[in-house]
Amino acid sequence: QVQLVESGGGLVQAGGSLRLSCAASGRTLSSYCMGWFRQAPGKEREFVAAITSNGGARTYADSVKGRFTISRDKTKNTVYLQMNSLKFEDTAVYYCAATTQWLGTQLRQYDDWGQGTQVTVSS
């Protein structure tokens, strides 16, 4: 089991940027595909982005494609989500998660989850 801790959330104006971090402990992330999900108030948790264990492939939800970038730093055992051109509808709690399945986009594919970090975009 890997412990995940997200950070970097906050309040930002529409059009602004934030970078979320997901730091791992207990196990190296090098063998895991990593994903970011988000959950807005009253809505189901949804997929945002995923990256393979070696960082060679990424996939994004259509709603964030071209604005968000997922990356990972092996030396820091950390995964990032760079969010640019933020919109009001990006407001949500963002979660990172780990899976042994390749580029999983479904919640059920992920075994380990962080506690989430709040992102609020003001319009």
Side-chain angles (χ1 to χ4, degrees), residues 15 53 70 114:
S53 56
I70 188 171

Side-chain angles (χ1 to χ4, degrees), residues 37-48 88-95 117-119:
F37 292 77
R38 66 186 182 187
Q39 188 166 17
K43 295 187 177 181
E44 294 185 351
R45 195 171 298 188
E46 64 177 6
F47 170 77
V48 175
F88 176 75
E89 50 265 39
D90 294 319
T91 295
V93 177
Y94 283 72
Y95 300 88
T117 185
Q118 176 71 48
V119 172

Side-chain angles (χ1 to χ4, degrees), residues 31-102:
S31 60
Y32 291 89
C33 288
M34 299 298 296
W36 284 96
F37 292 77
R38 66 186 182 187
Q39 188 166 17
K43 295 187 177 181
E44 294 185 351
R45 195 171 298 188
E46 64 177 6
F47 170 77
V48 175
I51 187 169
T52 53
S53 56
N54 64 1
R58 301 169 174 85
T59 188
Y60 298 92
D62 288 343
S63 59
V64 306
K65 201 171 293 183
R67 299 188 298 121
F68 290 12
T69 302
I70 188 171
S71 62
R72 62 194 303 160
D73 187 329
K74 180 180 178 180
T75 63
K76 296 182 179 180
N77 214 27
T78 299
V79 177
Y80 303 98
L81 185 67
Q82 177 67 44
M83 305 186 296
N84 298 329
S85 302
L86 282 161
K87 304 176 181 179
F88 176 75
E89 50 265 39
D90 294 319
T91 295
V93 177
Y94 283 72
Y95 300 88
C96 70
T99 180
T100 55
Q101 299 190 42
W102 191 78

